[in-house]
Each structure stands twice: as structure tokens, then as C-alpha cells.
Amino acid sequence: MEGKAWKFGDHIDTDLIIAARYLNTSEPEELAKHIMEDADPDFVSKMQVGDIIVAGENFGCGSSREHAPIALKVAGISAIIAPTFARIFYRNSFNMGLPIFELPEASEIAEGDSVRIDMDSGEIINQTDGKRYKFTPIPAFMQELVDAGGLIAYAQQEISEAKDE
Amino acid sequence: MGQTITEKIFSEHAGKTVYAGEIVRVSIDMTIGNDITTPISIKAFEQSRAKELANPDAFAIVMDHYIPAKDIASANQAKISREFAYKHDLKYFFDEKDMGIEHALLPEKGLVIPGDVIIGADSHTCTHGALGAFATGMGSTDISFSIITGGNWFKVPESIRVSLLGKPGKHIYGKDVILELIRILGVDGALYKAIEFVGDGVEYLDMSDRFSMCNMAIEAGAKSGIFAVDATSKAYLDERAQANGGLRSNPKLHYSDSDANYCREITIDMASLSPVIAYPFLPSNGKSVEQAVADDIKIDQVMIGSCTNGRIEDLRIAAEFVKGKRVARHTRMIVTPATQQIFLQAQKEGLMEILIGAGAVVSNPTCGACLGGYMGILGDGERCVATTNRNFVGRMGARTSEIYLANSAIAAASAIAGKIVDPR
């Protein structure tokens, strides 16, 4: 993953990520047109596919709406980096395959910096200033879910195992 | 080593003794979805190879956000849940015929049982902890996993013990206590934690107070909020059992051990607490009502309702303050009873006449206004005092609008004055 950084502050709630006025549909493409609208009304027109959001503490707090990570992913945001994530958003992102990374030093990255995420080395590299950071590894149990292809794939595995018995 | 009530609920479900930090896979007693989150769960359900739900009687769909449909898109979205409910013959499908906001409706129906593990695709699912259950919000895919497999995985949370002392003064409610706690903790101060309410002051809090306190545990980032069952909650459960021909199942009562482990201790002296108002744009932005009065805050709208404070007690308080008076000329007042039963009860008690007589508009039960959906949207620069749970940017409408979160007494008294006033 590699993209340009867009900076947001602390406590970005899911109403800012996708406002409830658009939740009369769950069509991903429709939702994707309105991401971050109340935080920055021009965001959708400014961002490019592959860009990365770099935010402050507690990203994704508030409503449990899974529409939030879905909309970000479908809009083309390739990853989110923040020191901490709200609990439900963290879990939702894994469940629907939006890559998110906990990085205590996230505030050192500036808007417009070119950021690369190296999954093999567990590093986030700021290509603009050359700094390298280790991101917080995900919990082992969640890695199992990721390896299975996500939560629903994990459930499918269980269903077919049960049938084989 | 002693256990918290939350560790005990998980131990009972896991069939072994577990403590905070352990990952457990447990059965779910009740899974909840609503009209805007369930369609995503249904899509995931259909993508899996599941043909039927693991336990159809443990899944409730409550149509409460944009129902009755506010537009064509909402109507089409609602069809997805309706068709699923009919196809799978769901016993607990609540639509226009039996309307209510999920977190008010399910306890009222006797479907929330002490000792349950409850998850819902709605962040305010934590409300149900007021009845001694573990209840938490999750996303739609997790809800799907739960209805496919009958269970889900959890990291057993650490607990913050909040000791409530003394008897709250006049017009101090559970809402003030929880806004004070969120002010202390911040919006992420309880991230991943359970908030357990204890102390000699608990006996002064009725179920309405306790529901609104657990409801807003999420606003401090918490996984759950919980009160152990006592005489007040037992009486509530008895009344619910009588009204519904019994409860869904038998309560399982758990109590924290005296040597249980807590990650943090907080004490709130309710006797000396002033009403708390959360200023825009975070629920942790609590100020005293005295401060708000000094700030001379003129308001365009008052909203009394939501899963936080739309109960009969809230309507009674509102009626007390507007009786024989008139909502200020430049202000409007919206009252949204949280369930149809509350609506009927208010009618019976003569509250509707008082509220409507004072110039309030009373709507059907819906989450609508609270989340900026419909039935009370704010325009550019408008200011609202709301008994709801979130005052984020744009939450109730225009991104330049402002929300002040408060108890129902402040909200109603402020509607008459046209500005924020102290109801005492």
C-alpha cells in the first residue's frame, strides 16, 4: 500500500465519515460519494484512489454503522493510520477488509506526505521525510480471522466442517 | 481471585472461569438489528452458505431509524429486512404495527434478561446493561456471524468501577450523572472497558435513569455499562413479565465479588451534582447548567426523545415544565416517545394534551431526529437542546448546527424560555 496522506484530527466519528442522512441506502457506491463530507466537504473531489487517511486518537467513534468502513474502502482509501481506533470501528474494518494501522507516532506524518505500508516488515515508511515506524501488530486471534479471509469466510469454514462431521 | 459481574456473565456462557483479557467464543442470547444496519447483515448472511439462522428466536429486527419510510430509498431498504423476517418467520420482528426504538422496546417487551449476552448492530445496544446483562454494539457483519453460528467472539473487558454516592438533588437525573462521568473520562476514556455502576446512591436511580446511563457508556468509548439487579430492577422485570405474559427466559443474577479486579475507580457524589449540559461538539464537553445560563444560549429547537431519554418519565418531566405555558415564539419543541406503549401511556395520563397545548409537536417513535435522519433536522447555524446522546458536527442536520445535550427538565424549561435555563 502506498498513497498520499490526508490528515484529520482526534475523535473523528462515524457521522463525519458517512452522515446518517445518506443511510437510506447501503449501496457501497452511493455511500462512497459522501465520505468525510461534514469534516471536509471537498474531500471526495480532492482525494485519489489509493490515498491514506492519517488521523488522531479514537478514529471511528460513535455509531456502529459498518457503512463507514465500507464507504471509505469503496471510495478508494487504501488504509487508515491512527494512534487509536474506536472499538466497533476497529472490529468492523477487519470484518470488511479495510486495512487499518495503529501507530502512536501518526501525528508526525504531514498532509500530502507519501506514505508506504510494508506488511512483511510491519513498517510504515514516510517516503517524504524518510522516517520509518513499526505499527502495532494486530491481536493473534484477529490474525486468524484475517488468514481465513474475514469473519464470514471463517463462518463458512465452520459450516462446511459441521457438514463433514 | 474474585470476579466482576461482567467476568461472571462471560464465565457462565463460556462454561469455564474467565477473566478480563481472555478471548472467548460464547453463545448469544439476543442479537439485534435495525432497518439501516440489518440489510448489510442480510447480504453477508446470503454470501455465506448458511440456509437458516442458528437460533431464529434469538434475533430481533426493530424497524426504528427511517420507519415509517421517509423516502423511496428508505422504503426499499426496509423491504430487505421485511422480506428476510417473513422468509425466516422471525418471532421478534417489530415494524409499524409494534413500533419503538429498539433499546426502549426490547426491555419493555420482556426480551432483555439479566445475565444475557446481547449484541446489536447499533452502538447504543449497551443500554441493556441496566438490567444486569452484558450488552454491546457491533457492526453488521458481526451480527451476521452471530445469526449464522449462534455465537460470537469477545475479549472479556476490564471494568471501571463507578461508585455513585448520595441522593441526587431535584431535577438531577441519570442523564446528568452519565454526562458528568463522560466529562471525567473523555470520549475514549473507557475504550474497550465495561463501566460498572455501584454504590449507595444506586437505589435513588429508577430504571429510566439507569437505561440512559448505560445507553451513553459508548460515548466514553466503553464496550458496555452495567448495573447489577436490585429491588428496583426486580420490580421492573416483574411488571414486564406481567405485561407480556412472562419474560423471554429466566433471569440469571450475578454480582461482583468484593475482591474483583478493576482497572480504574471513579466516585461521583450525586448529592452535590449540578445538572450537566454537554456543549458542542463532543458528549465529553460537559458544563454546569449555571455556566450555560451565564452564557445566555438562545435556542431554535428542543428535542425530547431517543433511546437515551424518550421514556414515559421524560414525557412526565417535560409536561411538568410546559403545563399551561407556551413554547417561545422563535423556538420549536419536538417530542418523540420511544415506543407506542409510552405514547399510549402519555395519552392516558393527559400528557399529550399538555405537550401539544404548549405548542410541542409529538411524533411517532423513531430514531429520526437524533441522527439527523428526519422528523426534526436542524438548518444552517441552528441550535438545539436535545435529550439525545450525540452532539457531533452535523449529527442532527447542517454541519454548522449546534447540539446541547441535557436532561428532559432542562430541555422542556428551555423550550418555554427560548434559551437554556436552570429548571430548578
Side-chain angles (χ1 to χ4, degrees):
Chain A
M1 274 162 272
E2 191 175 331
K4 195 171 108 175
W6 291 97
K7 293 288 298 267
F8 289 91
D10 291 340
H11 312 304
I12 295 296
D13 59 77
T14 51
D15 280 84
L16 287 177
I17 299 170
I18 179 76
R21 58 184 174 274
Y22 301 118
L23 302 189
N24 54 4
T25 176
S26 54
E27 287 305 320
E29 290 73 21
E30 229 8 80
L31 299 170
K33 293 176 190 164
H34 302 289
I35 58 163
M36 309 309 288
E37 198 172 278
D38 285 352
D40 177 356
D42 302 322
F43 184 70
V44 170
S45 58
K46 291 191 298 196
M47 67 154 280
Q48 303 284 319
V49 169
D51 284 354
I52 292 171
I53 287 178
V54 180
E57 302 280 351
N58 200 26
F59 186 88
C61 62
S63 160
S64 66
R65 61 190 69 160
E66 201 161 302
H67 311 70
I70 290 173
L72 291 170
K73 187 181 176 190
V74 172
I77 294 296
S78 66
I80 301 173
I81 298 169
T84 57
F85 290 87
R87 182 187 65 85
I88 304 174
F89 185 88
Y90 186 86
R91 200 162 160 144
N92 283 349
S93 297
F94 275 92
N95 288 345
M96 50 82 44
L98 173 71
I100 61 173
F101 300 93
E102 284 183 331
L103 181 69
E105 303 92 343
S107 66
E108 293 179 13
I109 299 170
E111 177 133 319
D113 284 359
S114 169
V115 175
R116 190 162 63 84
I117 299 161
D118 187 332
M119 294 299 288
D120 294 331
S121 68
E123 278 184 318
I124 291 174
I125 301 119
N126 186 340
Q127 303 183 124
T128 304
D129 66 11
K131 280 189 186 161
R132 305 172 83 93
Y133 309 93
K134 283 268 180 203
F135 59 80
T136 310
I138 67 168
F141 178 74
M142 292 192 87
Q143 188 60 51
E144 260 179 57
L145 295 178
V146 173
D147 293 345
L151 191 64
I152 294 303
Y154 189 83
Q156 282 175 337
Q157 268 181 16
E158 285 193 358
I159 294 168
S160 46
E161 278 165 18
K163 274 186 189 148
D164 294 343
E165 277 164 15
Chain B
M1 188 170 77
Q3 289 181 298
T4 64
I5 181 171
T6 302
E7 289 167 333
K8 286 188 181 181
I9 292 172
F10 277 111
S11 295
E12 205 230 334
H13 280 73
K16 59 177 181 180
T17 305
V18 297
Y19 292 96
E22 292 183 53
I23 305 270
V24 291
R25 175 87 177 264
V26 298
S27 61
I28 307 292
D29 300 292
M30 184 56 84
T31 299
I32 309 164
N34 61 50
D35 55 300
I36 64 173
T37 57
T38 310
I40 297 175
S41 306
I42 292 171
K43 199 170 163 189
F45 180 89
E46 279 160 6
Q47 278 166 359
S48 79
R49 285 172 221 153
K51 291 278 172 283
E52 52 202 29
L53 287 79
N55 183 1
D57 290 352
F59 183 37
I61 303 180
V62 187
M63 309 293 275
D64 55 5
H65 279 60
Y66 292 164
I67 297 301
K70 78 177 180 99
D71 52 24
I72 295 169
S74 305
N76 285 333
Q77 176 160 258
K79 280 170 71 178
I80 302 170
S81 297
R82 295 187 205 278
E83 283 161 12
F84 185 84
Y86 304 146
K87 181 179 169 190
H88 295 279
D89 198 21
L90 295 187
K91 186 173 166 188
Y92 299 129
F93 174 65
F94 301 106
D95 66 355
E96 285 86 338
K97 292 180 287 297
D98 215 347
M99 275 211 75
I101 300 176
E102 53 202 294
H103 311 308
L105 188 71
L106 298 184
E108 185 184 281
K109 295 273 179 199
L111 300 179
V112 173
I113 309 298
D116 275 0
V117 171
I118 299 169
I119 65 171
D122 189 285
S123 61
H124 292 111
T125 301
C126 49
T127 310
H128 307 297
L131 284 171
F134 172 84
T136 193
M138 288 191 184
S140 301
T141 303
D142 265 307
I143 265 48
S144 199
F145 186 79
S146 164
I147 62 175
I148 294 167
T149 66
N152 211 320
W153 68 274
F154 299 83
K155 188 170 164 189
V156 179
E158 294 182 298
S159 295
I160 297 174
R161 180 159 63 184
V162 178
S163 301
L164 306 171
L165 307 181
K167 186 179 179 181
K170 200 166 166 60
H171 299 308
I172 309 289
Y173 303 95
K175 183 61 162 281
D176 302 291
V177 181
I178 191 66
L179 287 177
E180 174 66 4
L181 180 62
I182 298 163
R183 189 189 66 75
I184 294 166
L185 285 168
V187 290
D188 56 356
L191 203 53
Y192 290 100
K193 313 280 196 289
I195 297 176
E196 182 178 329
F197 297 100
V198 301
D200 65 16
V202 168
E203 66 171 299
Y204 302 111
L205 300 170
D206 62 23
M207 284 314 300
S208 170
D209 290 316
R210 299 180 194 189
F211 281 125
S212 55
M213 289 169 69
C214 288
N215 174 276
M216 289 190 73
I218 177 71
E219 310 312 337
K223 188 179 244 179
S224 60
I226 194 163
F227 282 86
V229 170
D230 67 359
T232 302
S233 36
K234 269 187 191 145
Y236 176 89
L237 289 162
D238 287 347
E239 181 202 282
R240 291 297 97 213
Q242 203 162 22
N244 295 290
L247 299 172
R248 187 174 53 81
S249 64
N250 289 327
K252 299 168 290 287
L253 306 187
H254 299 286
Y255 296 92
S256 294
D257 294 324
S258 56
D259 58 343
N261 197 31
Y262 293 90
C263 62
R264 189 169 171 186
E265 304 263 358
I266 292 172
T267 299
I268 294 178
D269 178 13
M270 297 196 297
S272 66
L273 193 64
S274 243
V276 183
I277 298 174
Y279 278 36
F281 290 98
L282 286 175
S284 56
N285 225 353
K287 316 265 187 217
S288 70
V289 70
E290 289 87 353
Q291 175 68 49
V293 169
D295 290 343
D296 192 27
I297 302 162
K298 301 215 165 32
I299 51 174
D300 303 287
Q301 178 169 304
V302 163
M303 158 68 193
I304 295 177
S306 82
C307 56
T308 314
N309 283 96
R311 298 187 174 78
I312 189 66
E313 291 82 356
D314 296 293
L315 271 58
R316 286 178 189 141
I317 295 163
E320 178 190 334
F321 281 95
V322 304
K323 189 173 185 177
K325 296 183 181 138
R326 193 78 188 154
V327 171
R329 180 166 170 81
H330 59 87
T331 305
R332 68 237 179 213
M333 177 173 176
I334 296 160
V335 179
T336 303
T339 70
Q340 294 284 59
Q341 284 308 313
I342 295 169
F343 197 115
L344 284 174
Q345 182 64 27
Q347 183 103 315
K348 232 182 261 175
E349 295 180 18
L351 307 181
M352 289 299 179
E353 208 164 329
I354 295 169
L355 293 166
I356 294 170
V361 60
V362 183
S363 86
N364 57 280
T366 173
C367 310
C370 171
L371 80 161
Y374 73 145
M375 216 69 99
I377 303 294
L378 299 174
D380 295 326
E382 286 194 320
R383 234 180 238 155
C384 178
V385 173
T387 67
T388 58
N389 42 59
R390 290 186 176 133
N391 54 356
F392 300 153
V393 171
R395 170 76 178 179
M396 287 180 71
R399 70 188 284 258
T400 52
S401 61
E402 294 182 355
I403 303 161
Y404 292 77
L405 303 175
N407 72 36
S408 296
I410 293 173
S414 300
I416 300 298
K419 59 180 185 176
I420 297 182
V421 293
D422 189 338
R424 295 171 296 174

